[in-house]
Amino acid sequence: MQNNEETHQQFISDELQIPAREAALASLKLAALSGNAEAQVDYAKTLHQSFDDAAAAFPWMERAASQKNVDGMYGLALFLHNGWGCAPDQERSLALMRAAAEAGNVWAQFDVGLYYMKGYGCQPDMAQALEWITKAAQAGLASAQYELGVLYLNGEGVAQDFKESVAWFLKAAEQGNADAIFYLGTAFYDGLGVEKDPVRGLDIMQDAVKLGSSVAQRYIHKFEERSSTPS
């Protein structure tokens, strides 16, 4: 039975016999073969995203993660969560995602929060979810700011607070998050955490539709119908 080092050497030996997918990638593959973790991550991403070959990409991401490369750990967590080129393993995915989060990767912090919220690889834990999503939101990640706004709006894992919800939606909206813009519009429309202004609110929601918000596209008709109905 081969140990990890023997398996690694066999992998390198085998890969040396396989040319890069394109000549332009030859130098990147050589850097990955030399043990450069950043190159391993980049080569894995290229194989997965440009060539749709998750099976070939997986071992490269795994090698980067084994070197404690933060992007490698985050990437491998995504592979294991989605079953890209491997069998899904939610517990291992969470462990890697949390390691990347603790190392400061803001996307990993946000995703760890979602894992705890939805129970991926663990029991649902809204306190942990709120802690990690808040970390990512405070670091400036628009997606986390939007999600935090939703949590405060609905009172999920935290006391319902419309003003706090609007504050987070505004931060995300300022970065162009279309769904946050829609919810900011609903806040003005109904006066939730801000002074009620249905005309302004509907205008903001319509802007969100133009920006491609899927949430706005699903729900704006309800607000348009309310606006067209005499009170």
Side-chain angles (χ1 to χ4, degrees), residues 92-114:
R92 187 182 174 200
S93 177
L94 174 59
L96 285 160
M97 192 67 78
R98 182 155 184 151
E102 290 170 348
N105 184 303
V106 292
W107 276 105
Q109 291 170 352
F110 177 46
D111 285 343
V112 166
L114 296 181

Side-chain angles (χ1 to χ4, degrees), residues 18 37 199 203:
I18 304 171
V199 173
D203 284 344

